[in-house]
Amino acid sequence: MVDYHAANNQHSAGGQPTYMEQENDWDRDLLLDPAWERQQRKTFTAWCNSHLRKAGTQIENIEEDFRDGLKLMLLLEVISGERLPKPERGKMRVHKINNVNKALDFIASKGVKLVSIGAEEIVDGNAKMTLGMIWTIILRFAIQDISVEETSAKEGLLLWCQRKTAPYKNVNVQNFHISWKDGLAFNALIHRHRPELIDYDKLRKDDPVTNLNNAFEVAEKYLDIPKMLDAEDIVNTARPDEKAIMTYVSSFYHAFSGAQKAETAANRICKVLAVNQENEHLMEDYEKLASDLLEWIRRTIPWLENRAPEKTMGEMQQKLEDFRDYRRVHKPPRVQEKCQLEINFNTLQTKLRLSNRPAFMPSEGRMVSDINGAWHNLEGAEKGYEEWLLNEIRRLERLDHLAEKFRQKASIHESWTEGKEAMLTQKDYETASLSEVKALLRKHEAFESDLAAHQDRVEQIAAIAQELNELDYYDSPTVNARCQNICEQWDILGALTQSRRESLERTEKQLESIDELYLEYAKRAAPFNNWMEGAMEDLQDMFIVHNIEEIQGLISAHEQFKSTLPDADKERETIQGIDAEVQKIAQYNGIKLSGINPYTTITPKSIEEKWNQANQLVPKRDKALQEELTKQQSNDHLRRNFATKANIVGPWIQTKMEEIGRISIEMNGTLEDQLTNLREYEQSIIDYKPKIDELEGVHQQIQEALIFDNKYTAYTMEHLRVGWEQLLTTIARTINEIENQILTRDAKGISQEQLHEYRTSFNHFDKDHSGALMAEEFKACLISLGYDVENDKQGDAEFARIMGIVDPNNSGAVTFQAFIDFMSRETTDTDTADQVIASFKILAGDKNYITAEELRRELPTDQAEYCIARMAPYQGPDGAPGALDYMSFSTALYGESDL
């Protein structure tokens, strides 16, 4: 007997493989089952005759016809294709034994271990031993070489049957006995490969005899597979003989082996096409994401470049709030999209290189460099827009202050000039006495003094109006009209004053006796009254400051003003004393006064009222200044708070950037360890985000308080935002580089030690730790690895070829990823266009073209349609209608031609 279970991975002493030895269950007891013996006799006889007929002979009785060894040797020659030793033609028993021994020796030479089978038993016609010997031959020459997905022999044949019959209902092949009793499995095998021969849907599971006979007849008629089994024997046996079924099924396997090759070729093409389809999807996703981001930048830049000023502070504050929303809400998702776009682009290029495809070139205007350029323009416009907003708010604040100051001064001046023109044009001096004329003259002199005192206010009004015009105040026409009226009226008052003086002086020559006390009163009262009006104006004047120093300056000036009040009070008492003296003299001399000072309209009562009003304004001014001091102290606290946090966050970001730079060139542990450490490092950075948000909150408080400078720190929120975004982008890019290195390692079969060696060589020549090798550094690295790129004609040509691979954009620098891709390409193998062409040639039956029908039959529907849509018509002279050119299609997949 033959033991075949332990033969798959063993070798004989002579170095030849020991093929499947006879199964353990092949023993004398099992062969006592007459049903099994009958099935084996019929199946093995038919199998032998299917080969012997090629030599023009056959057997009738399996145990009798092999007894002389002649047909046994002939069978072995037919199925092996080899010549056996010349047989002995004698009729004696010894001649027969010698012939059978020659056959058994040949079987043993093929690695089959024969157990308990001797030539004498075969010559004696022992049916059990003869069937055992034939089963050994079938195992070795019909079943042993079957291999499906790294399984062989019985397991491989069973797996093949399961794969082929999987789509069919009521078929579940688990063994080589009862799984075949209903006949559906045989019909499914035929239908899978030759669907035109069997109408599978008409078969019924409850009619096994019809099913079996249908399969046997079709196989014999159309597939040249002889009928080796009897339908009634199989149906009427509880457990059909496994060896008989395996023998018959192996005939189907060999009959359809050509189709198996086509399926393998189809699988290769499917794999290549699946890679190409996935890459195309990634390219489409990149194009869409790039287009969306560029479109958003295109829409956003004009908004940021819009410098149309608003008229009011409230409208500009709304613009500033809109800009803050843009910074907090709209921009961060776009920053993430930009980062993700770069990651997707790098991953796609890595996959293309790993699958031996040409590099992806985005459509015009959608390169990563184009997106970076557009992003740079966006940030430039963003920075300029923020500066413009803050400057415009300062301008409007200044304008509001100036406009209010203009209105206040103009109102005071207009109030003062009211009635002055009528006073200057009256003719009261024509009928006055000398004393009255002198009084009128002195009164006019006092008015001139008052007029001169108001000259500064008019000049201030004109200067404020001029500044409002220069600052482009929105209500400038109204201001200009009012200023023009004041100036014109001032000129008229000047002319009228001069005219009245001349008239009084002509009359003065005839008049005498002017009351000196009235005159002195008028001369003192007028400037004092003007001083009080100026003081009240200053006490009510609006002020705007931006820091503690400025408010402290105003407080100091106010304190200086308060220090002058005692002297002013003495002057007030002196003026009031003059009036009291007038009253005393008049009373003493019995002079009846008219009740008014002929030289001035300023009464002691008005002086007293204005003095009291000025004294009431002083504490109000004190309160306003103290409130502003408190506000500026609060602002200074905000500055210090922001500076404290910024001076921590800024160096932290810088430190993290430097640490990432070191990590990217160090080699600590495996790539997976580095990736895990980087992701943990990335999470630690993300965990720092609340501190950035906290700083943003303080910065918003500073902006809302209209604080525009900070002497306590050199950091601005803009610098910190840019640094934070660069930090997130850098760690994400570094992680992506490690992921691509893992992808390259796994796809190219590069070991961790090789990667470590590549990184060590790369870092050794990367003197500036920039993460890239310049051309001369890369050449030195290649020479250290054994490449012949010395400075001669041949070496320069080889170096130029290598640089064309690792630096296709001629940037002059070689990244570590490009270095790994080059080294992996030099040491590993990938699919090529020639391999794909060879696979298509198998599907096309060795033709130089393929048809749509053949593609749809051999490939999945979606990939078949993918090929049909992209293959060009075949132009060769041997083409047929509808022929497709699979050669140009295959080369185009690898960038060797255009689709």
Side-chain angles (χ1 to χ4, degrees), residues 160-168 185-196 198 200 256 259 263 857:
W160 178 79
C161 294
Q162 290 171 339
R163 291 286 178 84
K164 295 301 181 180
T165 60
Y168 292 86
F186 291 108
N187 285 275
L189 279 179
I190 298 173
H191 185 270
R192 179 64 182 270
H193 296 89
R194 297 289 300 276
E196 74 277 8
I198 290 179
Y200 184 84
F256 296 135
E263 181 180 353
R857 184 178 69 232

Side-chain angles (χ1 to χ4, degrees), residues 780-819:
C781 182
L782 290 176
I783 293 174
S784 72
L785 293 173
Y787 284 83
D788 186 11
V789 290
E790 298 290 348
N791 293 325
D792 54 36
K793 185 174 182 180
Q794 182 177 357
D796 290 343
E798 175 63 11
F799 182 67
R801 178 190 73 80
I802 295 174
M803 283 298 291
I805 296 173
V806 299
D807 184 23
N809 297 323
N810 295 323
S811 65
V814 180
T815 65
F816 182 60
Q817 185 61 44
F819 178 69

Side-chain angles (χ1 to χ4, degrees), residues 704-767:
E704 290 171 352
L706 298 178
I707 299 172
F708 305 111
D709 59 347
N710 194 337
K711 64 183 179 180
Y712 301 111
T713 182
Y715 293 103
T716 66
M717 197 64 227
E718 175 63 26
H719 294 156
L720 295 176
R721 287 193 198 102
V722 172
W724 176 253
E725 292 169 1
Q726 288 178 347
L727 179 61
L728 293 177
T729 301
T730 301
I731 187 63
R733 186 183 295 115
T734 303
I735 289 174
N736 179 247
E737 289 176 357
I738 297 299
E739 290 174 338
N740 285 340
Q741 291 177 28
I742 292 174
L743 187 62
T744 301
R745 181 198 66 191
D746 295 341
K748 298 295 186 178
I750 302 175
S751 67
Q752 185 68 34
E753 290 74 15
Q754 286 178 301
L755 277 176
H756 187 275
E757 180 183 353
Y758 295 158
R759 170 56 85 178
T760 301
S761 299
F762 188 88
N763 288 346
H764 176 75
F765 292 96
D766 184 14
K767 302 299 184 183

Side-chain angles (χ1 to χ4, degrees), residues 25-290:
D25 62 354
W26 185 278
D27 55 31
R28 301 177 187 277
D29 293 332
L30 290 179
L31 284 179
L32 293 178
D33 187 335
W36 284 16
E37 183 175 347
R38 183 171 61 255
Q39 291 174 16
Q40 288 182 11
R41 284 176 180 276
K42 183 171 184 178
T43 302
F44 291 179
T45 299
W47 184 85
C48 292
N49 285 334
S50 68
H51 293 287
L52 288 173
R53 67 183 179 184
K54 299 174 184 177
T57 185
Q58 63 179 12
I59 62 174
E60 297 295 333
N61 189 310
I62 195 166
E63 66 264 31
E64 292 295 328
D65 293 349
F66 286 137
R67 291 179 63 184
D68 60 3
L70 295 177
K71 289 188 178 181
L72 178 59
M73 294 179 67
L74 181 61
L75 174 64
L76 290 173
E77 287 185 345
V78 171
I79 61 178
S80 68
E82 299 178 21
R83 295 291 295 177
L84 271 70
K86 185 177 181 180
E88 297 180 10
R89 295 296 179 178
K91 300 297 183 179
M92 298 177 64
R93 176 178 175 83
V94 66
H95 298 142
K96 296 178 181 180
I97 290 175
N98 289 339
N99 288 339
V100 173
N101 275 327
K102 291 178 181 179
L104 295 179
D105 291 341
F106 177 81
I107 295 173
S109 71
K110 295 304 178 181
V112 179
K113 183 179 179 181
L114 297 173
V115 179
S116 301
I117 297 179
E120 292 81 1
E121 293 174 301
I122 303 302
V123 172
D124 292 338
N126 188 316
K128 300 172 186 177
M129 293 298 105
T130 302
L131 290 175
M133 177 189 67
I134 298 300
W135 173 240
T136 299
I137 294 172
I138 293 172
L139 279 176
R140 172 58 184 86
F141 294 98
I143 298 177
Q144 178 60 38
D145 293 334
I146 295 175
S147 177
V148 177
E149 293 190 2
E150 301 182 357
T151 63
S152 60
K154 178 180 178 181
E155 292 79 8
L157 182 61
L158 182 62
L159 179 59
W160 178 79
C161 294
Q162 290 171 339
R163 291 286 178 84
K164 295 301 181 180
T165 60
Y168 292 86
K169 63 181 180 179
N170 296 327
V171 177
N172 182 18
V173 177
Q174 297 297 326
N175 49 56
F176 287 105
H177 37 81
I178 60 175
S179 294
W180 303 84
K181 285 189 65 173
D182 59 10
L184 292 178
F186 291 108
N187 285 275
L189 279 179
I190 298 173
H191 185 270
R192 179 64 182 270
H193 296 89
R194 297 289 300 276
E196 74 277 8
L197 299 179
I198 290 179
D199 189 351
Y200 184 84
D201 293 334
K202 291 184 178 180
L203 300 176
R204 301 199 325 271
K205 186 175 180 65
D206 59 356
D207 191 4
V209 174
T210 301
N211 297 340
L212 290 166
N213 284 328
N214 180 67
F216 298 161
E217 291 169 4
V218 169
E220 187 174 38
K221 183 176 180 181
Y222 298 101
L223 304 179
D224 198 26
I225 298 175
K227 185 177 181 181
M228 301 182 186
L229 301 171
D230 184 85
E232 287 74 15
D233 288 345
I234 294 176
V235 172
N236 296 328
T237 303
R239 185 176 183 271
D241 181 66
E242 185 178 55
K243 298 169 182 60
I245 299 294
M246 284 180 64
T247 302
Y248 189 50
V249 171
S250 68
S251 299
F252 283 87
Y253 175 89
H254 291 293
F256 296 135
S257 61
Q260 181 68 25
K261 293 180 181 179
E263 181 180 353
T264 302
N267 288 336
R268 174 183 287 273
I269 294 173
C270 290
K271 177 183 176 183
V272 172
L273 295 179
V275 170
N276 215 59
Q277 288 173 311
E278 179 185 3
N279 291 339
E280 287 186 0
H281 289 318
L282 289 175
M283 294 174 189
E284 292 171 0
D285 292 342
Y286 173 89
E287 290 283 342
K288 183 178 185 305
L289 189 58

Side-chain angles (χ1 to χ4, degrees), residues 373-441:
W375 191 264
H376 178 73
N377 295 336
L378 173 72
E379 293 186 328
E382 179 180 317
K383 180 178 180 183
Y385 186 70
E386 184 176 29
E387 293 174 351
W388 174 78
L389 279 176
L390 297 177
N391 290 334
E392 191 63 19
I393 288 174
R394 293 191 191 101
R395 184 183 72 84
L396 288 177
E397 186 181 35
R398 173 68 175 161
L399 283 175
D400 287 348
H401 172 67
L402 287 175
E404 183 59 29
K405 192 171 184 178
F406 173 85
R407 286 190 290 270
Q408 188 180 41
K409 288 184 177 294
S411 297
I412 294 173
H413 176 78
E414 289 166 347
S415 176
W416 178 84
T417 59
E418 185 177 359
K420 296 297 188 294
E421 189 173 343
M423 180 196 73
L424 292 172
T425 57
Q426 64 183 346
K427 305 294 184 180
D428 55 336
Y429 56 86
E430 293 179 349
T431 58
S433 63
L434 178 61
S435 60
E436 290 173 341
V437 170
K438 285 186 177 289
L440 289 174
L441 182 58

